[in-house]
Amino acid sequence: MAELELRDVRKSYGRIDVLHDIDLKIEDGEFVVLVGPSGCGKSTLLRMIAGLEPISGGDFLIGGKQMNDVPPRDRDIAMVFQSYALYPHMAVDRNMGFSMEIRRKPAAERKGPVTRAARTLGLEPYLDRFPKALSGGQRQRVAMGRAIVRDPKAFLFDEPLSNLDAALRVEMRLEIARLHQRLGTTMVYVTHDQVEAMTLADRIVVLNAGEIQQIGTPLELYEAPANRFVAQFIGSPTMNVLELPPEGGLKLDSGARIAGTGGARHLGMRPEHLRIVPAGQGDITVEAQVIERLGSDTNIYTEAAHLGPLLVRAHGNVDLRSGERCGLIFDREKLHLFDQEGARITPNAAAPVQG
Amino acid sequence: MASISRPHPALVVGKYLAVAFYVAFALFPLYWLFKIALTPDALIYTDGTALWPSALTLENFRSVIFASDFLDYFRNSVIVSLSTAAATSLIAAAAGYAFSRFVFRGKRWVVALMLLTQMFPLLMIIAPIYKIVAAVGLLNSLWSLIIVYTAFNIPFATFLMQSFFDGIPKDLEEAAMMDGCTRFQALRKVILPLTLPGLAATLGFVFTAAWSELLFALMLVSKTDAMTFPVGLLTFVSKFSVDWGQMMAAGVLALIPSCLFFLFIQRYLVQGLTSGAVKG
C-alpha cells in the first residue's frame, strides 16, 4: 500500500495536449474516482499511473518514489481492464496466478493465493474453466481476482462495469465497494457514469478537456460544484441552468427578483430542489409537458415562458397531467449562481432582491 | 412456424445438388490426375475420355520412383519449401507484430514499398534477379531459390500476420505487462499462443507457394541435382513425346507432402482461440 502523487503532470501527443496541470495526491487506502465525459483524458491519466502510457511532463510518485520511467511490471500496481483482458488460452486459475508464474513462484505456492481470491469472489467452481466458458459477470470477477492475487500497492479500474448489463453492474459495484472495505488498498477508478462515481468514491476527480475541474467528496461536488460543468455533470437528473437577464435579474411572479449579484450570468437549480405548487402560488408559473412516473419519484419536464425548459423531480406520485399549468417554488438555500466563465459564485448570493 | 423452420424439400435437394456439382467440378482435375497415373501407357490414347480406365497399373509410380531422378527433385523441393516457409514466417511474424503494435517513423513508407513490390509482374524482374543471383554465384543452388522465394513472399505474409496480430486485443499484452511481463515475455507467453492459427496459415500459404513455384526454379536452376519438383515434372516432356503416365504419377506423389503439411497445421487453422478474451 502506498500513496500516489501526481505533480503538474502533462500528456501530449505531438503538439496536442490531452492532459495538463494535473495535480493530485491520492492518500494511502483512498478510493478515488476519475470521472468525466468521453475524451476528457481520464483513461489516459489512469494509463499513465499504470505505466502503459509515457508521461510527457511533471512527476508521478508512488510512496514518495519517482516512478515516471519505471515500467509497469515494476510499479506493483494491478489493473482491471474494461475488456477484462483475460488470457483466453489459460484456465481461470492460471489466469489468476499468471503474475506469480511470471515471477517464477512454484506451482504449490501459487495455489494458496489463487484459492483464497477465488473463494472471496465466488469463483471456486470455475477454476478450471476457460474464459470463453464464463459469463460477463464471471469474467469480470476473474479480472478482479487476477488483481487481488497480486496484493498490489494500488488497484486501477478502467471502466470495469461498462460491458455489463444494468442489474449486474449494480451487483458488481457493491462488490467493488466491499472489496475496498476489506482490503483497504488504494484504488483509482475511471468511469463516465456519475452514479458509479458518487456511490464508490471517497473523493471524486472531475475531468473535462484534459483539466481537473474539481476534486472533492461526492457530497461536496453535489452541494458546492466549483463550476457549471461540475454542477451539470454531477447529479441525476442534470441540474437546470437558466440564463439570468443582465438587467435586473430573474423576475418572479411575486415581483421579487433574483439578481445577478457579483457578475452572475447563470442560475442553477437541481430538479429535486424545485417544488410543485398550484398555478399562481409559486415563484414562477410553468406548463408541464412530459411526466415520467418512476413510482418512487416523478420527473416533470416543464416549460417556463421566457425561461425555457425546467426539469422537476418530485418525491412519490404527483397529481398532474401533461399540458397543465402549475407553479414552482425554488429552494432558496440550494440555488447556484455562475459567472460569465462558468465559475460558481461564493458565498451563495442568490437571495431574491426586492424590486 | 413449422413452415419457417423446415424449407421446401426441393430447396434442400437443390442446395445439395449445387454443392455436389461444385465439389465435382473442383475435384475432377484431381480425379483425372489419378486416372491417368493409374492407366497403363498403352491404353492412354485408346481409353480417351472414358471416365474409368479399362486396366489399372502401378507401373508409372514404380518407374517414377525407381527409374527417374524424381526422389532428388522431391528432396530438393522439401528443403526449399520448408526453409522458405520457416524463414518467411519468422520474418513476417516479427514485421507484422511491429506494424500492428508500434508507431515508428517511415512506417507508411515501408508499407507502401512492400505493396509496391507486389505490383510488378514477375516476368519483368526475372532477368534482373537472374543477373543478381549469377553475380553472387548462387546459380544452380537451393540457396538461390530459398532466398528469392523468401524475399517474394515476405510482403504478403507480413500483411497476413499483421492482420492476425491486429485481431488480438492490445489489452492482453498490457494486462500481461501489468502482471509482470516484459514486452517480449508478453509476446511469447500471451500473444504467440494466440497467433498460432495465423502462423499456421502463413506457414501453409508460403509452403504451397514455394512447393509449386516453377518460373524462378526454371530460370535459376538448370542442373538436375538442384532441380525442384515442378521443374522435374518438365523432364517428362521430351522433344517428341510426353510421358503422361509418369508425369501424372509424379504429380500424385507431389500432392503428398502438401496434404501432410496441411494435416499437420489444420488443427491450428480451425481454432478460434481468441474467443472469450474480451467481452463477447
Side-chain angles (χ1 to χ4, degrees), chain B residues 236-268:
Chain B
F236 294 107
V237 182
S238 60
K239 204 165 184 183
F240 302 106
S241 71
V242 178
D243 199 337
W244 289 111
Q246 289 191 23
M247 195 170 170
M248 296 299 154
V252 169
L253 292 175
L255 282 175
I256 295 171
S258 289
C259 289
L260 283 180
F261 193 73
F262 273 93
L263 218 60
F264 168 67
I265 61 174
Q266 62 102 20
R267 76 192 181 96
Y268 299 106

Side-chain angles (χ1 to χ4, degrees), chain A residues 82-102:
Chain A
Q82 179 178 7
S83 64
Y84 317 141
L86 303 182
Y87 312 124
H89 55 303
M90 301 179 193
V92 167
D93 53 356
R94 202 172 153 217
N95 253 291
M96 287 176 39
F98 186 66
S99 55
M100 293 184 283
E101 185 182 326
I102 287 297

